[in-house]
Amino acid sequence: MSLGFRLLRGPVCLLALWCFTAYADDCGWPAIDPQHRPGAYWHWMASAVDEANLTRELETFHAAGLGGMHIVPIYGAKGYEDRYVEYLSPRWMELLAHAVKEANRLGMWIDMTTGTGWNFGGPNIPDDMANAVVKVKTEIAVAGQPCPLSNEGEHFQAEMAFGNSGQAIDLLALLAAGKLEWTPPDGDWSIVSISQEPSGTVVERAAPGGEGWMLNLFQGGVMKHYLERFDSSFTNYTATMPRAMYHDSYEYKCNWSPDLFAEFEKRRGYRLQDHLNVFFGDSGSEEQARLKHDYRETLDDMILENGIRVWADWARQRGCVTRNQAHGSPGNLLDLYAAADIPETEMFNKDRDPITSKFASSAAHVMGKARVGAETGTWLREHFNVTLGDLKILIDDLFVSGTNHVLYHGTCYSPADAPWPGWLFYASTQMNPRNAFWHDVPILNEYIARSQSLLQTAKPDNDILLYWPIHDLWQNPQGMELGLSIHRRAWLDEQSIGRVARLLWDRGYAFDYISDRQVAQLSAGPEGIIAPGGTYCVLLVPQCALMPPETMQRLRALAEAGGTILFDGVVPKDVPGLSNLEERRTALLASTQDLTQAGAHSIGKGRVLIGSDIESLLDHAEVMRETLSDAPGLLHLRRRHDEGHLYFLTNHGDGEIAKYLPLARPAEGAVLLDAMTGRAGVAALRKEDEHAAVFVRLAPGQSIFVRTFATRKAEGPRWPYVKTGGDPIPVEGNWRVEFIQGGPALPPPLELSQLASWTDSGSEDATSFAGTARYTITFDLASGGGADAWRLDLGSVAESARVRVNGIDAGAVILAPFRVDLAADIVKPKGNRVEIEVTNLSANRIRDLDRRGVTWRIFNDINFVNIDYKPFDASVWPIRPSGLLGPVTLTPLLEADIPR
């Protein structure tokens, strides 16, 4: 039989997609809107932009399938100083308005950083509002010798005298009362004086008009003061506001604030000043650990309430949503992510840990945020060596982590008259139209848009709330603030939550992290534990020594209302911090005294399960895992829709997966949807051990969506499973190679009887060429009649390809295996004409510039560095193979008889 094919004309180009004659509703894709499409960070160097070039670039981005741009003003390019525009000046506001209006005309969105470079700060931040570090001065006081009292010069925030018998005397209070000296009584005394100073950290990579201190994100009133500058500049702004305001990952250097003592006393109920000798000492005692806990919890309160929430509320009042990267912060990441409308994570070079990225998606899922952003492609590989296939694999990592709103990092505005490679930002994938791979960027963008249309329209479907026992982390006598970085993850990997999270991930349990603040917002009933964003089966507490009594009381109340609470090992036996210690210990004991033994405990309408085997606990609570995780290399994500569930599956292993995969959720019907090609069809589904199992075939690097229907069969044409129907037939003969797009110059055409890298042709122009070449061959089909379809395998490709066969667009490929499947009637017995447009990377062209000593790194500040932050020099790179390397073969396909 002949398998069904049709041509689908998409918004970017005519693609030959292996689809069906007509889509039934079950096999359809959601309508794509700009929120589904990827965006990109758009760095404006010195804001040296103009209306004509803004329009030109936005139209180019739109044509390539981008949905929006994120404006980040940074330092400038040398030699263009006459074009610099001061940040937030009237001219800058005109340019912003033009960008927003043009984006709206094109159906795109514009976001902006609420500042320049990163992080927040600038010229309106004085010394006393700058990110600050504590200064500690310790002196020995001799009994009987008067000590003068003065607060001139250093402006101490606290000055305390401590005796060796536990005495504590507030010297600033004595000074305020009019005393000018203090004489220590008998015994050994020390005086601890506290002040602060700017940490020295200024806005990184600031644009003109944005230079200055980074602000103090802890300090009350500072964020409001900082934002007044924006209110002033936006007063006469008449265009639509940007879609979103953005706050970058935490790179402030700050551990103190002028109001820290007051905030500490208000929130913790006692004076930190009275314990400064222990707090800043080196005893390593339990008291010191508890003091450090309370200090860190106070910083957490301040950064959330005085910083991020003030900014987020300000943005919403002006019609903008917010994007926040919480990682790096010393606060509770879950609450800081949740304070924004779009929590945003990132994966950086080799720091690609889904367990970490799930902190952003968990905040969204628990608190009911529809989108989870991701800064995508920063430092993925060395400049000009990142392939679209590399990006696709990274994006799949982000999808399984819960991300559904990709933003490339990124592209740099570059005027039309800037010589190649134009203006470039150093920490970027160079997702710009001057990069050779831009020719095929629309392929990746359509993959992302289709994927995100499914991921954004479906809802989270996780079973487990995994409590984050952050108090065990905070109660440590060492150090000061604890930055929770995505690069250095001891805060996760060396804590119980990291161990449990990896167990759940590896074994296929669907979970979201939850914080103490979020636990306080839960309710429970017969359906489970109810969060603002959805319902969960259980709440799991990893082993922890400490828990606030309020959290434990809330967990018990959830159980009494019908929820199921699981404790790994034992219930916590102590409370964190020093405030009202005995009173809080008594409160905790009252909630746990009947939960001292392992086993199942009935509490009201619900239950508490305690045990050392987490999987046994989950089994007892009837939480099912996805055995999809047992397939080597297979990663997955599960979401839900009104009639069933949506699975995203991606093969990150070395071998093909071709088998029935059992699903944990019930299904009577299923549809496969291939976001790379747009094809969709009803899947083979059968029962295995009372579970639905769907047949999936995935080569390494490939992905598929599975849309299931819980109570009915899926409607629509069947997914055409195929098998090989014979040996591969070599596509041989003379290949004509024409260079059609790129530079620095188009090499002369080539005639090849044997495929090889075009850099081996002997042409100097070909050695330095970055762009696209068209390979053409005409061949006869000597055998293979009766095939239901054909598979054209391109062999090795450097680096992406678009294929036409006999005048019909047959598909495009951006990663191995480089192959496209063809309808039987496309291939003829004689005179088959194959055209393959192959695009390489820009590595050889940038190598050529450096070998010739061309000055192109013309940027201020850090200029342009390599992935190791060392001077960039491509002249020493080897020549990168480019083009169609083959061998090219054509294999007959037959319909596979998959038992259903």
Side-chain angles (χ1 to χ4, degrees):
M1 65 175 289
S2 178
L3 301 177
F5 292 80
R6 72 178 176 87
L7 293 178
L8 178 68
R9 187 176 297 275
V12 176
C13 60
L14 184 67
L15 299 177
L17 303 176
W18 187 2
C19 303
F20 301 96
T21 304
Y23 277 129
D25 288 343
D26 291 348
C27 297
W29 295 84
I32 303 295
D33 72 32
Q35 306 298 328
H36 300 148
R37 295 195 172 278
Y41 287 69
W42 193 16
H43 293 99
W44 285 10
M45 285 199 148
S47 301
V49 303
D50 61 66
E51 285 84 353
N53 278 299
L54 289 173
T55 294
R56 175 184 58 82
E57 288 211 332
L58 285 168
E59 289 177 346
T60 302
F61 299 147
H62 176 258
L66 290 175
M69 306 301 294
H70 167 190
I71 297 169
V72 190
I74 57 170
Y75 52 84
K78 299 173 185 176
Y80 295 87
E81 287 80 5
D82 60 332
R83 304 186 191 184
Y84 289 8
V85 177
E86 184 175 346
Y87 183 60
L88 294 184
S89 66
R91 175 59 179 155
W92 195 93
M93 299 304 298
E94 290 175 359
L95 293 164
L96 172 66
H98 179 82
V100 172
K101 289 176 182 176
E102 287 294 272
N104 290 342
R105 175 179 67 83
L106 295 165
M108 301 175 72
W109 43 265
I110 292 288
D111 294 353
M112 64 175 282
T113 299
T114 319
T116 76
W118 64 90
N119 288 117
F120 288 1
N124 67 329
I125 299 300
D127 288 1
D128 61 355
M129 292 185 176
N131 53 171
V133 292
V134 65
K135 289 180 64 178
V136 184
K137 181 180 179 181
T138 302
E139 300 173 287
I140 301 300
V142 179
Q145 293 187 9
C147 298
L149 300 180
S150 173
N151 202 12
E152 298 292 331
E154 296 206 48
H155 302 292
F156 293 129
Q157 298 170 9
E159 189 170 34
M160 298 291 299
F162 296 97
N164 59 357
S165 299
Q167 310 98 310
I169 298 175
D170 189 336
L171 300 184
L172 288 189
L174 295 180
L175 180 63
K179 294 185 178 292
L180 299 180
E181 65 177 26
W182 167 74
T183 301
D186 292 341
D188 297 328
W189 290 82
S190 63
I191 298 175
V192 181
S193 304
I194 301 300
S195 59
Q196 70 175 54
E197 63 183 354
S199 66
T201 305
V202 297
V203 176
E204 283 206 63
R205 319 308 179 207
E211 305 94 334
W213 293 123
M214 285 189 194
L215 58 76
N216 192 322
L217 203 56
F218 306 139
Q219 187 176 346
V222 170
M223 182 64 76
K224 180 177 182 296
H225 171 81
Y226 173 70
L227 294 171
E228 288 171 356
R229 183 182 183 210
F230 292 85
D231 283 334
S232 177
S233 294
F234 274 93
T235 298
N236 297 317
Y237 179 81
T238 58
T240 305
M241 288 292 288
R243 181 195 71 154
M245 291 286 170
Y246 170 79
H247 180 255
D248 211 332
S249 58
Y250 187 100
E251 294 188 27
Y252 303 91
K253 183 180 178 182
C254 192
N255 63 21
W256 208 257
S257 170
D259 54 352
L260 188 138
F261 283 127
E263 292 268 10
F264 187 100
E265 184 174 1
K266 178 179 72 174
R267 298 171 185 278
R268 307 281 83 84
Y270 68 96
R271 281 167 39 97
L272 180 59
Q273 297 95 311
D274 297 333
H275 304 269
L276 291 178
N277 58 331
V278 177
F279 183 86
F280 288 110
D282 56 6
S283 66
S285 65
E286 179 183 346
E287 180 185 4
Q288 186 179 33
R290 290 183 178 277
L291 289 166
K292 290 291 179 72
H293 170 278
D294 287 351
Y295 158 77
R296 290 163 183 147
E297 187 173 20
T298 301
L299 292 187
D300 169 60
D301 292 338
M302 294 171 73
I303 191 174
L304 179 64
E305 298 175 23
N306 295 343
I308 297 302
R309 282 182 178 168
V310 172
W311 162 74
D313 289 345
W314 172 88
R316 292 179 190 123
Q317 290 166 8
R318 286 148 185 82
C320 303
V321 299
T322 52
R323 291 171 34 221
N324 182 39
Q325 292 190 356
H327 42 276
S329 163
N332 191 309
L333 301 185
L334 295 172
D335 300 318
L336 292 168
Y337 279 127
D341 302 288
I342 306 175
E344 182 162 307
T345 185
E346 64 178 304
M347 290 186 176
F348 186 94
N349 193 4
K350 296 179 181 179
D351 291 327
R352 295 164 62 162
D353 182 18
I355 299 300
T356 306
S357 290
K358 277 182 67 66
F359 277 82
S361 61
S362 294
H365 297 164
V366 170
M367 299 308 296
K369 317 285 184 176
R371 283 164 290 172
V372 182
E375 177 185 323
T376 304
T378 308
W379 281 140
L380 190 55
R381 291 185 188 271
E382 186 56 271
H383 293 291
F384 311 105
N385 283 273
V386 177
T387 71
L388 297 179
D390 292 334
L391 284 165
K392 192 267 183 188
I393 297 297
L394 170 70
I395 289 162
D396 289 347
D397 279 342
L398 289 164
F399 285 163
V400 298
S401 304
T403 290
N404 60 11
H405 191 50
V406 163
L407 292 100
Y408 296 120
H409 196 276
T411 188
C412 192
Y413 168 98
S414 187
D417 61 348
W420 195 90
W423 296 357
L424 301 174
F425 180 58
Y426 72 96
S428 169
T429 293
Q430 312 308 337
M431 183 59 71
N432 66 62
R434 304 175 303 285
N435 199 342
F437 71 16
W438 187 261
H439 181 267
D440 290 335
V441 161
I443 302 164
L444 179 60
N445 287 346
E446 288 306 301
Y447 169 76
I448 296 169
R450 293 190 190 103
S451 297
Q452 293 188 160
S453 73
L454 294 170
L455 294 170
Q456 290 184 23
T457 53
K459 304 295 183 184
D461 186 52
N462 295 331
D463 296 318
I464 302 166
L465 287 168
L466 180 59
Y467 172 72
W468 185 11
I470 196 170
H471 302 280
D472 280 22
L473 177 70
W474 281 344
Q475 190 149 307
N476 184 326
Q478 304 302 315
M480 293 288 288
E481 80 283 14
L482 298 176
L484 308 180
S485 168
I486 63 169
H487 309 301
R488 295 167 295 280
R489 297 188 296 269
W491 60 270
L492 176 62
D493 296 337
E494 297 178 9
Q495 298 288 313
S496 63
I497 188 173
R499 173 182 59 82
V500 174
R502 294 197 190 281
L503 170 68
L504 298 178
W505 178 268
D506 291 342
R507 295 291 290 158
Y509 291 99
F511 70 94
D512 284 318
Y513 302 110
I514 190 166
S515 71
D516 291 276
R517 288 185 182 92
Q518 293 163 357
V519 167
Q521 300 182 58
L522 300 177
S523 60
E527 64 270 44
I529 297 175
I530 306 164
T535 301
Y536 295 79
C537 299
V538 300
L539 189 151
L540 170 61
V541 180
Q543 284 187 3
C544 58
L546 308 168
M547 181 178 284
E550 299 83 2
T551 298
M552 188 64 221
Q553 291 162 1
R554 189 67 200 145
L555 296 181
R556 189 177 183 99
L558 292 172
E560 290 173 346
T564 299
I565 311 298
L566 314 180
F567 285 92
D568 174 22
V570 296
V571 298
K573 292 181 166 43
D574 204 352
V575 298
L578 195 61
S579 175
N580 298 319
L581 186 55
E582 294 310 317
E583 178 183 332
R584 292 165 62 243
R585 280 173 167 166
T586 300
L588 180 69
L589 180 62
S591 298
T592 60
Q593 59 188 351
D594 57 345
L595 300 175
T596 59
Q597 301 297 317
H601 303 262
S602 295
I603 305 290
K605 298 177 182 179
R607 54 186 174 165
V608 172
L609 307 180
I610 304 171
S612 58
D613 186 327
I614 289 175
E615 288 202 68
S616 294
L617 291 176
L618 292 169
D619 185 60
H620 193 81
E622 300 179 330
V623 178
M624 292 186 62
R625 74 184 186 94
E626 290 286 357
T627 57
L628 295 167
S629 293
D630 296 343
L634 184 67
L635 301 178
H636 74 276
L637 173 80
R638 186 185 69 222
R639 292 175 74 86
R640 60 181 171 82
H641 60 90
D642 289 345
E643 291 193 77
H645 292 84
L646 177 75
Y647 288 83
F648 173 71
L649 311 178
T650 184
N651 182 3
H652 281 197
D654 297 326
E656 183 180 67
I657 296 171
K659 62 180 181 178
Y660 274 97
L661 297 172
L663 307 176
R665 293 294 193 250
E668 294 296 325
V671 168
L672 299 181
L673 301 105
D674 182 354
M676 185 60 73
T677 64
R679 59 178 176 161
V682 176
L685 194 72
R686 71 182 186 188
K687 296 293 183 181
E688 292 185 357
D689 298 327
E690 300 184 357
H691 294 289
V694 60
F695 192 89
V696 170
R697 186 186 302 274
L698 287 176
Q702 289 185 337
S703 309
I704 200 78
F705 285 91
V706 184
R707 178 190 288 151
T708 68
F709 299 88
T711 60
R712 66 173 178 85
K713 302 292 185 183
E715 298 180 359
R718 293 169 63 177
W719 180 268
Y721 297 98
V722 296
K723 62 182 179 181
T724 57
D727 294 332
I729 302 167
V731 176
E732 297 176 323
N734 291 320
W735 292 87
R736 178 170 174 79
V737 184
E738 299 174 275
F739 295 89
I740 59 175
Q741 177 182 312
L746 295 181
L750 302 174
E751 296 286 340
L752 302 177
S753 59
Q754 184 73 33
L755 290 171
S757 172
W758 70 53
T759 60
D760 296 335
S761 66
S763 164
E764 290 187 10
D765 286 344
T767 300
S768 61
F769 179 74
T772 302
R774 181 185 299 118
Y775 290 71
T776 305
I777 193 171
T778 301
F779 70 97
D780 296 335
L781 187 63
S783 60
D788 292 326
W790 294 91
R791 175 162 293 158
L792 183 65
D793 192 322
L794 307 185
S796 181
V797 174
E799 299 292 338
S800 57
R802 295 172 181 262
V803 181
R804 288 175 61 85
V805 178
N806 295 325
I808 296 173
D809 288 333
V813 283
I814 62 172
L815 78 167
F818 294 98
R819 64 193 189 197
V820 295
D821 291 344
L822 312 172
D825 57 1
I826 291 180
V827 181
K828 304 180 297 184
K830 292 186 178 295
N832 291 287
R833 179 181 174 88
V834 175
E835 300 167 275
I836 305 171
E837 291 185 3
V838 179
T839 302
N840 73 340
L841 301 181
S842 291
N844 292 340
R845 186 173 179 183
I846 209 75
R847 171 185 179 273
D848 174 66
L849 286 187
D850 280 356
R851 285 173 66 85
R852 291 191 287 115
V854 175
T855 300
W856 60 272
R857 293 183 291 277
I858 57 169
F859 315 113
N860 290 314
D861 201 287
I862 196 172
N863 200 343
F864 196 83
V865 294
N866 69 16
I867 196 168
D868 298 317
Y869 280 76
K870 299 295 194 319
F872 182 91
D873 180 10
S875 68
V876 297
W877 291 358
I879 296 172
R880 185 168 181 126
S882 300
L884 179 61
L885 309 181
V888 179
T889 60
L890 192 65
T891 302
L893 301 177
L894 300 176
E895 183 179 21
D897 184 18
I898 304 297
R900 299 179 184 237

